[in-house]
Amino acid sequence: HYDEPFADAASLPTFVVSEFARQQVTVVLSGEGGDEVFGGYRRYYAQLASSYFHLLPAFLRNRRWSKIVPQTPRFRRLHKALETISIPDDATRYATWLALFTEDAKAELFDRTVRTGLHNGYEPYCAFYNRFPNWDTVNRSLYTDLKGWLTDTYLEKIDKAAMAVGLEGRVPFLDHRLIEFVFRLPGKWKVKGATTKYLLKKALEGVLPKNTLYKPKHGFAVPVDEWFRGRLKTFLSDVLFDSDPHRTRYFRPAYVAKIFQQHTRGERNFGSQLWALLNFELWHRQFMRPTSESSPPATGFRVASATSGNDSAFVQRKQIVELPVRAQS
């Protein structure tokens, strides 16, 4: 349904929820834009904190703090934060928060013939971040997400997942009058300390219960990390290391094998990166191979409940991935 490689794993539950909603209604209201307009992501206060980090003496700033933290799944977020916070340029630092593969990782990932034609993936985000240099840190970050991350990922995700089942999604947080008003407000009203969406939460006190307003943020997560160490490990391996001559040659097998092994052994967490590579390979099989060689997409799948830990399915559709499954060639 996406017609292109789409690396956000939340597209899967978004499709399932859209299908469920379509049984009752034809139009739904979606919360897309709330985080990007009112400041709902943790990286906003991380970006703020990093500006204070760069006020420290040079001998403290220049120390490789990330080397102190183990590179295990348990410390994944802390390790990335310590690596990113030390980047001196504000725009590059913010772009790094958004990156799936760092520039160093891409140098290892892509085949040499591909690397020569690659552009710096940070450049569009840096351009957005630097467009209004007199804005405060939070509003520059919000603007970057509004123009890049939101339009390229989240809006596409909800629109295509919903329309695939004949459902229309509308986004009231993206009313242009609301956006124009909120962007005239200072960032400190949106992110206050470690409290995200501060203004929106204060505005809704008395309307929604406090335990709803102030509960920890919980994304539309998909347990790909666990899947790739368990029931999807064989499927992932079959797809990424397929010996078919028409398999993509854009990526260096040695690097892909390295992150696959480190992830499946539980040494590092590369679930998101492996999901992106898996989606690219499956898309390439379906749309880029010669017609006579094209493999059908993986179908006839079943999705088991992420919380139940058993095989009882909460949905069964031909477009959804079953666990486990072997790749078709």
Side-chain angles (χ1 to χ4, degrees), residues 61-246:
R61 294 197 315 270
N62 296 335
R63 186 169 180 181
R64 296 297 300 273
W65 293 102
S66 61
K67 297 293 184 182
I68 302 174
V69 179
Q71 295 186 22
T72 57
R74 180 180 179 183
F75 296 100
R76 174 175 58 95
R77 292 184 184 277
L78 178 58
H79 192 271
K80 178 170 183 176
L82 291 174
E83 278 192 329
T84 305
I85 204 170
S86 62
I87 297 173
D89 179 70
D90 290 344
T92 303
R93 187 188 323 119
Y94 191 72
T96 304
W97 293 119
L98 302 173
L100 189 58
F101 290 97
T102 65
E103 292 301 305
D104 289 342
K106 285 192 289 185
E108 288 191 73
L109 170 66
F110 288 108
D111 182 83
R112 180 175 54 83
T113 57
V114 177
R115 290 201 306 270
T116 57
L118 288 179
H119 297 285
N120 187 328
Y122 293 174
E123 287 179 358
Y125 296 107
C126 290
F128 290 134
Y129 194 91
N130 289 326
R131 181 166 293 177
F132 300 105
N134 293 327
W135 285 10
D136 60 57
T137 297
V138 170
N139 279 319
R140 292 173 77 183
S141 303
L142 294 174
Y143 181 79
T144 303
D145 282 353
L146 188 73
K147 299 294 284 186
W149 190 266
L150 177 67
T151 53
D152 292 339
T153 303
Y154 292 146
L155 290 181
E156 181 177 10
K157 175 179 65 182
I158 181 63
D159 183 58
K160 290 186 175 179
M163 292 308 295
V165 296
L167 183 69
E168 182 181 349
R170 297 183 181 175
V171 283
F173 280 122
L174 295 181
D175 184 296
H176 73 93
R177 293 161 296 186
L178 177 64
I179 293 174
E180 290 162 4
F181 171 72
V182 175
F183 266 88
R184 290 197 291 266
L185 303 177
K188 64 183 180 181
W189 291 6
K190 303 164 192 175
V191 179
K192 188 170 184 179
T195 302
T196 54
K197 286 197 273 196
Y198 178 78
L199 176 64
L200 184 62
K201 291 172 180 177
K202 295 298 289 185
L204 290 175
E205 284 186 358
V207 178
L208 294 175
K210 279 200 171 184
N211 62 348
T212 298
L213 281 175
Y214 292 99
K215 70 179 181 180
K217 184 173 180 62
H218 182 75
F220 213 4
V222 178
V224 293
D225 297 342
E226 291 79 9
W227 285 354
F228 289 158
R229 293 188 181 104
R231 300 160 67 191
L232 273 183
K233 179 179 177 181
T234 300
F235 175 54
L236 178 66
S237 176
D238 287 348
V239 173
L240 296 185
F241 307 112
D242 186 1
S243 60
D244 189 288
H246 294 293

